[in-house]
Amino acid sequence: MTTKTPEELLQITYRPPARDWRDPHVDFEARRGSWSYPGAAKNLKYMGFPNPREWSPTDADWKLPENWKEIIQKGFKERLGKYRSLQVFLDTCVRCGACADKCHFFLGSGDPKNMPVLRAELLRSIYRNDFTAAGKILGSLAGGRKLTEDVLKEWYYYFYQCTECRRCSVFCPYGIDTAEITAFARELMNLVGLNINWVMEPVANCQRTGNHMGIQPHTFKDNVDFLVDELEEVTGIKVNTSINRKGAEILFVIPSADYFADPGIYTFMGYLLLFEHLGLDYSLSAYASEGGNFGLFTSHETIKRLNYKIYAEARRLGVKWILGGECGHMWRVVHQYMDTMNGPADFLEKPVSPITGTHFENAASTRTVHITEFTSDLIQHGKLKLDPSRNDHRRVTFHDSCNPARAVGLLEEPRHVLRNVCNHFFEMPENTIREETFCCAGGAGLGNDENIEMRMRGGLPRGNALRHVRDEHGVNLMACICAIDRATLPPLAEYWAPGVEISGVHELVANALVMEGENDRKTDLRGDPLAGTEGAEDDNV
């Protein structure tokens, strides 16, 4: 955790600095706690990425290729020709400032280069100088800047302070997707080996073993078996799981954090209990054991490579369709990139719930259904036996994870589930949820410890909204449907809203599920006493 107290971090000034924004110099030594360590050489080598070497942002020499400028300019030109959206976004912005105060990193730091409009200008100024007629003739008078090593270092600092959450895009009158500009800047930096390890390590692990953690197939099975035993100890139910089973109806793909780390493991246990309740014919895969795709934070080619494993496994196992767990950027990749990169997935069937008969028309092309859509449909058709009073020791709010909510519009389904498994549900303020949700400030590879001060600064808006419902309604749990959120929100909540814990939605589903043959439930999945049981506080009093 950052050594600064919340009170110290709140000393933010929004006064414009005296220094001209076109000055690219960044003092990395003075800004420790607000940048991420570079990608390790071993990970770049494994992926076949350019310029693998050991270096530090505090070094004077970043060990760039001799022709680094030529590489960046060539890469820029290629992408302008390949992606029409890039040139549209670069040409369209009129610098109206509608996005300026919408970024959580600007709100938490007061640094004007964290305004989406100015962060994009760091890339746009090079575009104007090198790729427009006005810039070539007029230079800085046309808003252009020359590409220098200091500019490249400035890109590294600020484009790895954007979580690509796309909140700014909601407010842009021209619909400019600033997250795409960040993605392109990172892709250009990747060409000369300027990456961060919190992206590169998961990418390399996922390419090698099928998941971000680098877990081997036998360890994956051991983890699943361990959680099955834990679930039996709490509920008295021994669930049946299958891994790598050919001929199952459904391939179930989850983020690796859900079977590896607290609090995600309770969400995973929730999935297993739900499927046992239904008698669902599904299989996990030890080779596609990751729904997340950190290629989204690296390059379009890497997105394609990592997404392919899921559909390759679906084909190998001969399943009918895919069910996806509570994962944020899996959902954006599948629904916004998969069709043009790896699809269409026409070797699979259009998803139909084997329990309710519902045709998931929104998944007719990707053949992938989100677990909250699936469970919401089950509840709508009365297929689950639920006792929401089992969650009465929890007063719950919901964090709209950026990619499922803002990018894909998955807004009502998780709320429908929560309102049916919890008696005490409270929304955070209107302008902090749904499409306008604030980010966890740790996505896009920024959820690392060396970047903790900037994470807490960026987490201020979400923390402030969370503190509000904690104080107003006694909220003690924030649910979400993203594995990155479940990893990054606990320290954020501890810092800005102490006393609030983090969970997935299906952890609460499992608490409320009434299973045939279960024991006399006294605790939830975490072992905390249920309200009204011996030794527990009754929150209804």
Side-chain angles (χ1 to χ4, degrees), residues 96-126:
C96 69
C99 64
D101 62 344
K102 306 306 185 294
C103 177
H104 46 283
F105 285 118
F106 171 66
L107 293 174
S109 70
D111 187 337
K113 290 186 181 180
N114 272 326
M115 293 178 181
V117 58
L118 189 44
R119 188 190 293 114
E121 200 70 18
L122 306 181
L123 184 74
R124 189 177 285 113
S125 59
I126 305 304

Side-chain angles (χ1 to χ4, degrees), residues 288-351:
S289 50
E290 179 66 71
N293 190 323
F294 272 35
L296 187 60
F297 317 133
T298 310
S299 70
H300 289 74
E301 181 59 34
T302 310
I303 296 174
K304 180 178 179 179
R305 288 168 68 177
L306 299 186
N307 186 62
Y308 177 76
K309 70 182 184 302
I310 297 174
Y311 287 87
E313 271 298 271
R315 188 190 294 273
R316 185 181 75 86
L317 296 177
V319 301
K320 293 181 179 179
W321 54 279
I322 301 167
L323 184 62
E326 295 183 18
C327 183
H329 46 300
M330 170 189 182
W331 216 238
R332 185 178 180 199
V333 167
V334 166
H335 279 274
Q336 294 191 335
Y337 292 96
M338 199 287 294
D339 265 358
T340 53
M341 288 183 173
N342 302 109
D346 49 11
F347 63 93
L348 296 171
E349 296 181 12
K350 295 180 180 179

Side-chain angles (χ1 to χ4, degrees), residues 197-372:
N197 204 53
W198 210 246
V199 171
M200 287 298 105
E201 188 97 24
V203 163
N205 285 342
C206 202
Q207 178 74 9
R208 183 171 59 252
T209 68
N211 59 72
H212 292 162
M213 307 295 180
I215 293 172
Q216 300 287 344
H218 62 280
T219 307
F220 172 74
K221 183 181 183 304
D222 288 345
N223 281 21
V224 173
D225 289 345
F226 173 78
L227 294 176
V228 166
D229 291 342
E230 289 288 298
L231 193 55
E232 183 179 16
E233 186 174 327
V234 173
T235 67
I237 302 296
K238 181 75 171 180
V239 303
N240 297 296
T241 61
S242 64
I243 301 174
N244 300 339
R245 177 167 62 88
K246 292 186 176 182
E249 180 173 1
I250 297 166
L251 172 63
F252 183 49
V253 180
I254 66 278
S256 55
D258 280 2
Y259 55 81
F260 184 80
D262 185 332
I265 55 173
Y266 306 113
T267 302
F268 185 73
M269 292 160 69
Y271 304 145
L272 298 182
L273 199 65
L274 173 66
F275 297 162
E276 186 71 17
H277 187 82
L278 300 172
L280 196 68
D281 181 18
Y282 75 99
S283 179
L284 297 158
S285 168
Y287 305 106
S289 50
E290 179 66 71
N293 190 323
F294 272 35
L296 187 60
F297 317 133
T298 310
S299 70
H300 289 74
E301 181 59 34
T302 310
I303 296 174
K304 180 178 179 179
R305 288 168 68 177
L306 299 186
N307 186 62
Y308 177 76
K309 70 182 184 302
I310 297 174
Y311 287 87
E313 271 298 271
R315 188 190 294 273
R316 185 181 75 86
L317 296 177
V319 301
K320 293 181 179 179
W321 54 279
I322 301 167
L323 184 62
E326 295 183 18
C327 183
H329 46 300
M330 170 189 182
W331 216 238
R332 185 178 180 199
V333 167
V334 166
H335 279 274
Q336 294 191 335
Y337 292 96
M338 199 287 294
D339 265 358
T340 53
M341 288 183 173
N342 302 109
D346 49 11
F347 63 93
L348 296 171
E349 296 181 12
K350 295 180 180 179
V352 178
S353 172
I355 312 301
T356 67
T358 294
H359 290 244
F360 293 99
E361 296 297 339
N362 61 308
S365 178
T366 64
R367 305 318 204 236
T368 303
V369 174
H370 194 279
I371 186 71
T372 58

Side-chain angles (χ1 to χ4, degrees), residues 162-179:
C162 171
T163 49
E164 302 180 24
C165 81
R166 304 170 79 240
R167 188 175 194 265
C168 51
S169 302
V170 173
F171 298 92
C172 177
Y174 295 99
I176 295 171
D177 189 344
T178 308

Side-chain angles (χ1 to χ4, degrees), residues 16 21 60 109 111 125 158 192 282 312 335 368 404 415 418 425 485 523:
W21 75 267
S109 70
D111 187 337
S125 59
Y158 286 103
V192 293
Y282 75 99
H335 279 274
T368 303
R415 286 176 167 81
L418 287 172
F425 177 73
D485 287 333
T523 71

